[in-house]
Amino acid sequence: MLVTLREVKDYLRIDTDDEDEVVASLMQNAETLCKDVARVEKVEDFEALGEVAKQAVLYSTAYLYEHRENADYHQMTLMLRALLFGVRREGF
C-alpha cells in the first residue's frame, strides 16, 4: 500500500480503532481506482509516482469515507484525473 492506515486515519482525523476495517477496505479501493485513472498496472510503478500518487490515494479514500451514503463516482473520477493528469500514462 502506498499509504499506511495511520496516515489515512490522521488525514481523516479518526482517533479510534473502531473503523479500521472499513478504512483499510476504502484505502485498497482508492489505490486501485487511482492506479486505474493513472493507467498504471504495477504497484511499484504507481509508488514511483511519489507524492502525487499519495495525495490522490488520500483524497479518494477521504471522499469514499465521507460520502459512503451518496458518493458521486463520476465527480470523484474527474477530480482524480485532474490530480493525476501530469503523471497519467497515455494507455495501459
Side-chain angles (χ1 to χ4, degrees):
M1 295 293 298
L2 185 60
V3 295
T4 65
L5 180 60
R6 179 80 265 150
E7 288 174 307
V8 172
K9 286 175 64 174
D10 288 345
Y11 187 80
L12 295 173
R13 296 187 173 114
I14 298 174
D15 296 327
T16 67
D17 297 332
D18 297 342
E19 298 182 293
D20 281 3
E21 287 183 37
V22 171
V23 173
S25 176
L26 294 175
M27 287 169 51
Q28 288 178 323
N29 292 330
E31 187 168 312
T32 300
L33 179 60
C34 290
K35 283 176 24 189
D36 290 346
V37 170
R39 297 177 176 156
V40 175
E41 292 184 36
K42 296 180 183 177
V43 174
E44 301 82 28
D45 293 341
F46 186 65
E47 290 174 351
L49 300 177
E51 197 63 29
V52 172
K54 188 174 184 175
Q55 288 303 315
V57 172
L58 288 172
Y59 164 79
S60 54
T61 303
Y63 186 91
L64 292 170
Y65 180 79
E66 292 174 7
H67 297 93
R68 286 173 281 189
E69 301 291 324
N70 60 349
D72 181 345
Y73 296 101
H74 179 71
Q75 177 187 347
M76 181 179 67
T77 303
L78 289 176
M79 178 60 82
L80 287 175
R81 283 184 181 173
L83 288 170
L84 297 167
F85 180 75
V87 295
R88 192 170 188 226
R89 306 267 166 86
E90 287 186 37
F92 282 100

